[in-house]
Amino acid sequence: MSATVTFLLDGKAIPFQDGDTVMDAALRAGEYIPHLCHNPEFTPHGSCRVCIVEVNGRHYSACTLPAAENMNVDNSSEAIMAKRRSLLQMLFVEGNHICPACEKSGACQLQAVAYYTRMLSPHFPHFFPRRSIDATHPDIIFYHNRCILCGLCERASRDVDGKNVFTISGRGMNSRVIFNSDSGKLGDSELSISDRAASICPVGAILPKSKGYQVPIGQRLYDTRPISLVGDSNIRRNDKT
Amino acid sequence: MPSELETAKDPEKLDRIVIEPLTRVEGHGKVTLLQDENLQIKQARLHIAEFRGFEKFIQGRPYWELPVLVQRLCGICPVSHHLAAAKATDMIVGAMQLTPTAEKIRRLMHYGQTLQSHALHFFHLCSPDLLFGYDDDVRHRNIVGVIEDSPEIARQGVMLRKYGQEVIRVTSGKRVHGTGAIPGGINKSLSREEIDYLKTDIDQVIDWAQQAVVLIRRIFFEHYDYHINFASIDSSMMSMVREDGAYEIYHGGLRARDRNGRDIFNHVDYRNYSDYIKEGVKNWSYMKFPFITSLGQEDGWYRVGSLARVNNCDFFSTERAEAERVEFRAISDGLPVQSTLAYHWARLIELLHCAEAIRELLDDSDLGGSELVNKGEMQLHGTGVIEAPRGTLFHHYEIDENSLVTRASLIVSTTNNNQAMNESIRRVATQYLDGQQLTEALLNQVEVAIRAYDPCLSCATHAMGKMPLQIDLVNKDNALIDRLEKNASGKIKRRL
Ligand code: SF4
Ligand code: NI
């Protein structure tokens, strides 16, 4: 056994291995760094920026930052939390995230991370974009309204299912997930309900049909414990306490 | 026939009085009165701003969202919309019958909400008029006055309401806007602890409910003539009844009876309601005027809600409520009770029944069952009807093969009573306002009549008892002659 190398996360020593990102090492050590586009099963994306941390006065995304010995990472100061809240608030107003009516409520990572960072209101004016629902698939429904463009469905379909059903297309406000089929409809793609991509979405954008609200309030994933303790909704993990 | 006060002969020659917004009713409404130079009321109309954008708003949504989405339609009776929509989605998923557990949990939720709704309406919104009289000082004629003069009554009202809210919370997960009912059933049954928790206070609740009925009966008989005659109109009545004719608010057939208590239709399968009820329109109101098809638009209007239900049913399945029903019906010699203020009495009999029915259910082991959902062959449309606290509530939806809603149509309870409320204020106008200089107390009579129906005037807004009141007296040239204002704290000011 070689001596373990560590870095400091909020003053706590976190062991890491070669090639680890700060996120990898922290999650393995049972330390939570808020994140949305990251999922330990997949290659980092670094797009949502919610995992922002501070090292030596500079800001990084923890999911893409290589761990280095003795680095001192700020993951929970009020200044960092405030930055995360602003990022979340922008996500909330940019789409239509109507938690009270959404069937993902209580098990949604966007909502859970917002609670965790104590985001109390959307702060910015809502954009109320008009975006559609694709219900053409017999078993799966897609809400463009709720998509946060985290790219997990794209990675899951490509890397696990080997299908490339999803791609993020367009830029800025016009970005959206498109489906790989002649008609452009989800129902004509190769997606199947048992695909990893069908259950990977951290928010309520990709959902199985006809299953909404079956878990009663009080028993949903984040109803009683915060996301920092429960972890990601869709991660098939066994390495985290 | 609608009263002749619906439309005046020469409206341009008359003074116009607007009561807007109505106080202590849920939502927004306004009354306009036209008075001629001899102070005779020539026209009286209730205008309700009905929220119709909703039917559009849910187009394109998947059907399983309906029970949760549509309860947002109304901050006051969300559970009614939740359950009516859930029943419609039962049909969509082909659940021809619910499991006993699912049906009983939904019933429990419905009894809980009816109990809380009736308690709120009576104790908070109406007891001031009934306890103190419509001409009591307006600064005292409110719930604060009740708390000062009759703290025990006020306290019981609060506790009854709270109990109903707890039933809703336990069955749906939240006091407001829960998720309990889902297509084909429910998402949770009750644990032993939850059942025991609700059992703790139920005997007390029944006692309070009984006392409330005793109180309203006493008030009714103390001013018997006033209560019998005030705003009373002869109308047909419609409600749901159980197969054996028993009082029923969750699931049953539709029964309509004419003013003499004779059947117009009976045990109609509610899925065919559109064969029996049509919606008329009038050019002066956004709200529709439903009528019984076989009687036509002129004569087919009817009343729904507590008065209709207690009149229409053959009996209550619970003992105390049944005894009260017998007393209630005795005042009219076997004919339907037509007194508009009897709505309050009927409402409290219902509250008592709900409390008794909750106690019965809490002893039923099905409440803890594990079979929660039934499904069958999918259908592309569904109809759900319940007796909401305010009256019969119709939901109908059509979906496409992708499960998205293509069409929604609703008749909400208050809409059913539209013509009846208009008729009642016209009666008040003739009874009390003709030939009088209008005062706040007199105008409150108009509101007392409307409040008897417990209308939910708009399912989008909610400002309870705090609404400022403005009455404008306008002459034929639309110039303001007089204005009476009441601010949110009840202070009256005369402007001009
Ligand atoms: S659909 Fe879900 S998983 Fe895919 S990009 Fe949008 S938010 Fe991410
Ligand atoms: Ni309502």
Side-chain angles (χ1 to χ4, degrees):
Chain A
M1 261 191 70
S2 59
T4 37
V5 276
T6 62
F7 66 90
L8 289 178
L9 186 77
D10 296 331
K12 192 170 165 187
I14 306 290
F16 68 94
Q17 297 153 13
D18 239 14
D20 270 355
T21 61
V22 167
M23 178 73 81
D24 294 333
L27 289 183
R28 196 179 316 109
E31 293 300 318
Y32 177 67
I33 300 176
H35 56 272
L36 287 171
C37 74
H38 183 68
N39 182 314
E41 280 182 62
F42 301 99
T43 43
H45 205 237
S47 61
C48 78
R49 311 270 303 159
V50 168
C51 66
I52 186 169
V53 291
E54 191 180 311
V55 181
N56 284 332
R58 294 193 55 186
H59 293 118
Y60 301 90
S61 295
C63 71
T64 49
L65 175 67
E69 196 164 7
N70 297 329
M71 90 202 295
N72 198 343
V73 182
D74 171 9
N75 174 41
S76 55
S77 66
E78 181 47 33
I80 283 294
M81 284 299 187
K83 289 217 156 41
R84 290 178 182 151
R85 279 197 293 274
S86 297
L87 288 162
L88 290 163
Q89 282 164 329
M90 286 189 269
L91 284 175
F92 266 90
V93 300
E94 189 274 336
N96 292 313
H97 301 280
I98 320 289
C99 300
C102 176
E103 61 183 277
K104 187 81 174 185
S105 189
C108 169
Q109 282 193 50
L110 179 63
Q111 185 189 41
V113 174
Y115 276 127
Y116 178 79
T117 60
R118 292 185 298 281
M119 182 192 121
L120 298 176
S121 77
H123 181 75
F124 303 111
H126 280 277
F127 290 18
F128 294 123
R130 294 180 68 88
R131 294 187 187 144
S132 56
I133 292 175
D134 186 322
T136 54
H137 194 285
D139 306 316
I140 299 158
I141 185 164
F142 193 103
Y143 296 79
H144 288 285
N145 274 313
R146 301 177 187 154
C147 172
I148 56 170
L149 301 169
C150 72
L152 277 169
C153 54
E154 185 176 11
R155 284 174 275 164
S157 185
R158 183 188 63 214
D159 302 346
V160 180
D161 308 327
K163 291 188 181 173
N164 283 317
V165 170
F166 301 99
T167 317
I168 296 180
S169 140
R171 296 179 70 88
M173 267 303 280
N174 296 319
S175 318
R176 67 196 315 252
V177 170
I178 55 168
F179 315 125
N180 186 1
S181 69
D182 288 343
S183 62
K185 298 218 158 66
L186 192 60
D188 294 329
S189 77
E190 285 175 45
L191 185 67
S192 126
I193 187 74
S194 56
D195 286 354
R196 185 69 188 106
S199 65
I200 191 73
C201 183
V203 294
I206 306 177
L207 288 166
K209 275 185 163 178
S210 310
K211 297 277 190 291
Y213 313 100
Q214 285 182 358
V215 182
I217 294 171
Q219 294 172 30
R220 301 170 306 186
L221 190 66
Y222 304 122
D223 273 342
T224 48
R225 293 194 304 159
I227 189 168
S228 54
L229 296 179
V230 180
D232 299 1
S233 60
N234 298 298
I235 298 176
R236 297 162 180 169
R237 59 171 56 242
N238 42 29
D239 59 342
K240 186 163 184 294
T241 47
Chain B
M1 289 285 285
S3 149
E4 57 186 25
L5 291 191
E6 178 161 315
T7 303
K9 286 209 175 58
D10 309 296
E12 56 302 321
K13 295 201 185 114
L14 302 168
D15 282 348
R16 179 180 295 267
I17 296 153
V18 184
I19 308 179
E20 180 188 30
L22 293 159
T23 54
R24 285 186 277 141
V25 286
E26 310 281 15
H28 285 300
K30 140 179 125 167
V31 171
T32 55
L33 306 171
L34 294 192
Q35 212 175 28
D36 68 11
E37 58 272 29
N38 301 321
L39 304 175
Q40 298 298 306
I41 301 285
K42 288 295 175 191
Q43 180 178 300
R45 289 172 173 177
L46 168 65
H47 307 257
I48 295 171
E50 197 183 20
F51 181 57
R52 281 263 165 185
F54 166 79
E55 281 148 340
K56 208 137 188 85
F57 158 74
I58 50 173
Q59 270 172 26
R61 310 298 307 184
Y63 74 83
W64 60 88
E65 286 187 351
L66 287 169
V68 170
L69 272 191
V70 300
Q71 61 180 342
R72 298 268 151 191
L73 180 62
C74 177
I76 301 116
C77 32
V79 179
S80 301
H81 291 295
H82 181 59
L83 289 174
K87 287 180 78 173
T89 60
D90 293 343
M91 261 179 85
I92 289 176
V93 300
M96 284 318 158
Q97 196 164 5
L98 295 184
T99 68
T101 297
E103 160 149 7
K104 285 169 189 173
I105 295 276
R106 285 198 194 171
R107 270 182 188 281
L108 184 60
M109 191 192 299
H110 194 28
Y111 292 136
Q113 76 136 344
T114 305
L115 192 142
Q116 79 86 21
S117 173
H118 283 2
L120 172 74
H121 181 255
F122 179 71
F123 290 97
H124 289 70
L125 306 183
C126 294
S127 66
D129 294 318
L130 296 164
L131 291 172
F132 307 140
Y134 69 90
D135 51 357
D136 182 54
D137 185 341
V138 69
R139 281 162 301 180
H140 176 259
R141 197 204 312 132
N142 54 43
I143 185 66
V144 180
V146 177
I147 293 168
E148 277 167 8
D149 289 19
S150 317
E152 191 48 30
I153 290 177
R155 196 181 74 86
Q156 289 176 10
V158 171
M159 298 306 286
L160 278 171
R161 172 149 195 248
K162 195 162 161 240
Y163 185 83
Q165 288 173 321
E166 282 303 283
V167 173
I168 296 170
R169 184 183 63 76
V170 168
T171 49
S172 76
K174 277 165 83 182
R175 270 178 164 203
V176 226
H177 298 142
T179 63
I182 55 176
I186 49 158
N187 64 17
K188 87 186 251 287
S189 59
L190 295 199
S191 67
R192 190 70 256 161
E193 296 73 50
E194 287 168 326
I195 293 170
D196 288 344
Y197 167 67
L198 292 179
K199 272 187 177 175
T200 321
D201 291 328
I202 187 61
D203 289 332
Q204 178 68 72
V205 162
I206 291 175
D207 267 4
W208 284 333
Q210 178 84 65
Q211 284 175 42
V213 186
V214 170
L215 172 70
I216 188 76
R217 185 159 21 90
R218 198 194 77 214
I219 293 171
F220 199 95
F221 281 109
E222 265 172 21
H223 307 279
Y224 188 75
D225 289 343
Y226 172 75
H227 277 90
I228 286 293
N229 294 318
F230 177 83
S232 80
I233 50 173
D234 280 350
S235 76
S236 309
M237 305 206 189
M238 184 181 70
S239 66
M240 187 177 263
V241 287
R242 201 165 77 182
E243 218 163 89
D244 59 0
Y247 175 90
E248 175 60 59
I249 54 176
Y250 177 70
H251 194 70
L254 296 174
R255 171 183 282 179
R257 287 189 165 160
D258 68 14
R259 62 198 60 195
N260 299 311
R262 284 187 296 254
D263 283 353
I264 303 169
F265 53 75
N266 201 354
H267 298 302
V268 161
D269 183 337
Y270 66 63
R271 289 173 294 185
N272 305 325
Y273 78 86
S274 58
D275 295 342
Y276 294 83
I277 303 287
K278 293 241 175 324
E279 287 186 286
V281 287
K282 301 200 178 189
N283 60 11
W284 52 269
S285 175
Y286 288 116
M287 192 179 239
K288 300 232 174 103
F289 291 83
F291 59 93
I292 294 167
T293 319
S294 63
L295 301 184
Q297 179 153 11
E298 284 286 287
D299 297 313
W301 59 277
Y302 52 90
R303 293 199 266 190
V304 299
S306 60
L307 184 69
R309 291 187 290 247
V310 176
N311 271 315
N312 271 2
C313 75
D314 301 332
F315 63 97
F316 275 96
S317 62
T318 57
E319 201 180 317
R320 293 183 189 212
E322 172 57 10
E324 294 296 338
R325 185 195 69 86
V326 171
E327 286 222 34
F328 177 88
R329 289 299 305 275
I331 66 171
S332 62
D333 264 344
L335 289 174
V337 176
Q338 296 281 3
S339 150
T340 296
L341 288 178
Y343 260 103
H344 297 298
W345 184 358
R347 208 168 274 127
L348 293 186
I349 297 174
E350 293 190 312
L351 186 149
L352 176 59
H353 169 71
C354 288
E356 290 182 286
I358 289 172
R359 180 163 65 187
E360 268 176 23
L361 274 176
L362 290 175
D363 282 329
D364 192 320
S365 60
D366 283 338
L367 282 194
S370 55
E371 282 176 31
L372 305 185
V373 176
N374 265 347
K375 288 198 175 163
E377 202 178 318
M378 283 284 289
Q379 292 194 47
L380 294 181
H381 58 92
T383 304
V385 177
I386 61 162
E387 281 294 329
R390 297 169 167 81
T392 322
L393 171 65
F394 300 87
H395 280 211
H396 175 80
Y397 304 99
E398 289 163 28
I399 61 168
D400 63 18
E401 322 71 59
N402 291 330
S403 302
L404 302 183
V405 174
T406 52
R407 209 177 98 88
S409 47
L410 277 70
I411 306 178
V412 302
S413 317
T414 298
T415 305
N416 288 297
N417 277 334
N418 194 1
Q419 184 70 32
M421 288 189 291
N422 270 284
E423 293 302 316
S424 282
I425 62 166
R426 287 163 200 159
R427 178 103 169 105
V428 169
T430 331
Q431 284 176 313
Y432 299 97
L433 308 184
D434 258 352
Q436 303 279 333
Q437 271 309 335
L438 297 180
T439 62
E440 193 278 337
L442 282 176
L443 288 171
N444 186 46
Q445 297 274 39
V446 172
E447 293 187 51
V448 168
I450 296 165
R451 274 203 292 276
Y453 290 87
D454 186 16
C456 181
L457 293 190
S458 152
C459 280
T461 53
H462 190 194
M464 209 174 48
K466 290 279 184 212
M467 271 190 196
L469 170 70
Q470 180 181 313
I471 304 149
D472 287 347
L473 188 58
V474 188
N475 74 8
K476 53 186 174 291
D477 305 321
N478 244 347
L480 189 66
I481 317 174
D482 199 1
R483 168 175 286 177
L484 217 54
E485 273 180 3
K486 181 170 82 174
N487 70 16
S489 55
K491 283 221 174 66
I492 302 268
K493 260 196 220 143
R494 183 154 234 136
R495 287 280 163 91
L496 305 178

